[in-house]
Amino acid sequence: MERPAPLVFAELASVLGQAGFEFRGTQEAGEVLARHGDAVHVVAAWNGALSGAPGSDWQVAQLARVSALLGARLVGEDGESYAIRDGMVEQVNGSAVYEFGKLDEILSAGPTVWSR
């Protein structure tokens, strides 16, 4: 995640709590968690900055939610960005836009791991 101002733990904790995310760890290092059904899943790692390695559309959607709430931009390893626009999760790479799908449907479907 990229944003103009550095992210401090107090801001992270406040936003996560308001949005229904959980945090496990310390102010120095930990994990951002999201629930689906009875299970809790890791969405991002915290070590003074947030980062994630999504393995499902659900995780991308959760990372996009966290990014938006923090006023940040979710950027992939190849420079593409991810965002939520009009209820759709999108990947943007230059002028090309790929729609993952509707946010609510992706979140309802849960963290089904991508097949390789």
Side-chain angles (χ1 to χ4, degrees), residues 8-98:
V8 295
F9 182 78
E11 181 182 5
L12 173 68
S14 174
V15 167
L16 293 179
Q18 292 172 18
F21 289 94
E22 299 175 32
F23 184 82
R24 176 174 51 208
T26 67
Q27 291 187 20
E28 291 76 32
E31 298 173 318
V32 174
L33 309 164
R35 288 192 172 277
H36 185 265
D38 293 334
V40 178
H41 303 273
V42 175
V43 173
W46 165 258
N47 62 0
L50 276 180
S51 62
S56 69
D57 288 353
W58 182 85
Q59 287 174 313
V60 170
Q62 295 290 12
L63 286 166
R65 285 184 60 222
V66 170
S67 296
L69 293 167
L70 293 169
R73 210 173 80 123
L74 180 59
V75 180
E77 62 188 9
D78 296 325
E80 73 280 17
S81 63
Y82 299 85
I84 300 168
R85 185 170 56 98
D86 299 327
M88 296 293 289
V89 179
E90 298 179 332
Q91 175 189 21
V92 180
N93 194 352
S95 61
V97 176
Y98 167 75

